[in-house]
Amino acid sequence: MISEARISRGSQKVIASVVGLLCFFIIATAIPSGVLVMSAALVAVIALLTVWVLRISVTIEATGQNLTVRCRPFYSKTIPLQDIIDASPAASSSMIEGFGVRYLGQRTWGLLVGGPAIVLETPRRTWLISTPDPEYTAASILNHAGKPRGQITAY
């Protein structure tokens, strides 16, 4: 495993607080309206989905021929190492704040949990992938791909 990133504790607390207030509001309005059972079921579903979202992790793993990027539990993609053009730390921006799998436009996909990230370029698309240590992760990916830093292959 080259890298694993998770949603920060601070972000988890904010999400849990907002969802908790939402669930409280649903139950508080359900009691006088007489739809408590249906509302309680809705709150249970929201709570389960929230727990699932709070457990998102982004991983990058290398094998002999491939790089596998995952946004667990939602998405996984295997990229042949020979297709890697470049990997570098991403500039800090609001685009790296967010969670999950995202299409960011212009053939760019994000696997994000907020915080620092790398930019991984392949012939078909560009990836923005969360990682706790962008410098190490980018260098490790290039090393696995057999491309020293600074060597960019044109396609």
Side-chain angles (χ1 to χ4, degrees):
M1 171 133 10
I2 294 173
S3 174
E4 181 175 23
R6 296 185 177 276
I7 297 174
S8 72
R9 291 274 186 215
S11 294
Q12 286 178 336
K13 288 178 183 179
V14 169
I15 293 168
S17 298
V18 169
V19 171
L21 288 172
L22 170 70
C23 291
F24 175 77
F25 179 76
I26 290 170
I27 294 297
T29 57
I31 293 171
S33 65
V35 290
L36 185 58
V37 173
M38 190 165 74
S39 296
L42 177 62
V43 165
V45 169
I46 290 170
L48 286 173
L49 288 173
T50 302
V51 168
W52 202 31
V53 167
L54 293 176
R55 296 181 54 96
I56 290 175
S57 68
V58 171
T59 60
I60 303 171
E61 298 176 34
T63 62
Q65 302 296 319
N66 298 307
L67 188 72
T68 302
V69 294
R70 291 187 179 97
C71 185
R72 293 180 185 187
F74 305 111
Y75 182 81
S76 178
K77 175 71 175 172
T78 300
I79 302 167
L81 288 172
Q82 66 191 26
D83 286 356
I84 294 173
I85 296 171
D86 194 21
S88 61
S92 182
S93 75
S94 63
M95 295 303 269
I96 58 177
E97 296 300 324
F99 311 106
V101 180
R102 302 170 113 194
Y103 178 68
L104 304 171
Q106 300 176 355
R107 302 177 326 138
T108 302
W109 284 84
L111 303 179
L112 305 169
V113 291
I118 62 162
V119 175
L120 179 65
E121 295 179 44
T122 66
R124 292 197 174 125
R125 65 178 55 133
T126 300
W127 297 90
L128 187 62
I129 306 169
S130 292
T131 179
D133 188 348
E135 287 289 337
Y136 168 79
T137 302
S140 183
I141 289 170
L142 291 174
N143 184 46
H144 279 87
K147 298 183 179 181
R149 195 68 148 134
Q151 176 184 337
I152 300 174
T153 306
Y155 278 84

